[in-house]
């Protein structure tokens, strides 16, 4: 769809930003190798920023590429901050920056970013599950469990709540509850739950 948009309007920066994010996601979900997806994403980012240097979406995708593909921690943080400076209420940027900060061992900052994302978009299933992953990264199983229960209240048919409960219970050593929730997540569509049923790891 972004490519079709660009065929109609070749200088539309947001479409290049969206295309970059799609290329990044194709790697994330296992459809493209990182070299190919990263190259295509970077090309689209360059075009997006040449047309609109203030495009926060392009800065966020660049930050994620720096983080996940290239392990360029300084570059990633610089671009996360730029995305948030350009768009302070950009929920995806708060979530991605929170995950990054958690990996960097900056627990309080990571949790604060997750909290800000929830303030901005409290009913989003994606926001809620990603805040749960921030709690996982910073090693807070009780808060993972609370987040999982909250997700189940929001949408009982979304696998995310049980996925978070699975991870939280594994961390606490309550394997019976972990397996039970992994089975529920699998029934609701989370194929990753197979990993915890097969080898005792929840994600």
């Amino acid at each position: 769809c972004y490519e079709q948009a660009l065929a109609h309007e070749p200088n539309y920066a947001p479409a290049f930003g969206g295309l970059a994010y799609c290329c990044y996601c194709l790697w994330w979900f296992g459809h493209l190798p990182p070299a190919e997806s990263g190259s295509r994403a970077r090309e689209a980012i360059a075009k997006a920023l040449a047309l609109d240097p203030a495009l926060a979406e392009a800065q966020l995708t660049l930050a994620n590429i720096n983080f996940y593909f290239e392990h360029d921690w300084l570059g990633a943080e610089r671009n996360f901050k730029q995305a948030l400076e350009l768009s302070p209420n950009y929920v995806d940027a708060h979530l991605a920056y929170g995950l990054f900060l958690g990996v960097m061992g900056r627990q309080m900052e990571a949790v604060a970013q997750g909290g800000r994302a929830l303030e901005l978009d409290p009913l989003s299933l994606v926001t809620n599950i990603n805040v749960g992953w921030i709690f996982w990264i910073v090693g807070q199983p009780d808060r993972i469990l609370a987040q999982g229960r909250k997700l189940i209240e929001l949408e009982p048919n979304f696998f995310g709540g049980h996925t978070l409960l699975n991870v939280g219970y594994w961390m606490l050593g309550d394997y019976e509850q972990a397996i039970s929730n992994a089975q529920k997540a699998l029934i609701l569509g989370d194929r990753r739950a197979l990993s915890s049923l097969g080898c005792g790891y929840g994600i």
Side-chain angles (χ1 to χ4, degrees), residues 1-10 12 15:
C1 289
Y2 286 120
E3 287 172 342
Q4 289 178 27
L6 288 166
H8 289 286
E9 180 47 72
Y12 186 45

Side-chain angles (χ1 to χ4, degrees), residues 130-166:
N130 277 309
V131 169
W133 292 132
I134 290 173
F135 292 143
W136 170 66
I137 290 171
V138 302
Q140 297 184 4
D142 290 339
R143 297 184 79 171
I144 295 172
L145 294 176
Q147 196 66 27
R149 295 184 187 106
K150 178 183 175 183
L151 257 176
I152 292 170
E153 289 180 11
L154 283 173
E155 177 47 75
N157 294 317
F158 176 52
F159 62 76
H162 291 290
T163 297
L164 292 181
L165 291 180
N166 164 31

Side-chain angles (χ1 to χ4, degrees), residues 16 36 68 104 117 126 148 152 173 187:
F16 279 115
E36 181 180 353
Y68 292 107
M104 294 296 106
V126 172
I152 292 170
I187 290 169

Side-chain angles (χ1 to χ4, degrees), residues 8-135:
H8 289 286
E9 180 47 72
N11 294 321
Y12 186 45
F16 279 115
L19 181 61
Y21 183 70
C22 285
C23 291
Y24 160 73
C25 287
L26 286 170
W27 163 76
W28 183 264
F29 291 105
H31 299 290
L32 283 179
E36 181 180 353
S37 58
S39 175
R40 290 176 60 184
R42 275 193 170 278
E43 181 180 353
I45 288 167
K47 291 178 179 177
L49 293 177
L51 292 164
D52 182 0
L55 190 65
E57 291 82 358
Q59 293 289 352
L60 177 58
T61 301
L62 185 55
N64 281 321
I65 290 173
N66 287 333
F67 179 24
Y68 292 107
F69 289 12
E70 299 170 355
H71 302 164
D72 176 4
W73 315 132
L74 293 176
E77 181 155 27
R78 181 177 61 250
N79 293 117
F80 282 128
K81 287 181 174 179
Q82 283 184 305
L84 287 168
E85 286 172 8
L86 293 166
S87 183
N89 293 331
Y90 189 6
V91 173
D92 288 349
H94 284 290
L95 290 170
Y97 189 33
L99 292 166
F100 168 83
L101 290 167
V103 171
M104 294 296 106
R106 293 155 61 182
Q107 296 184 357
M108 292 181 65
E109 293 175 80
V111 171
Q113 290 294 326
R116 181 58 181 148
L118 280 176
E119 288 175 6
L120 293 166
D121 200 4
L123 300 181
S124 164
L125 303 182
V126 172
T127 298
N128 276 274
I129 192 171
N130 277 309
V131 169
W133 292 132
I134 290 173
F135 292 143

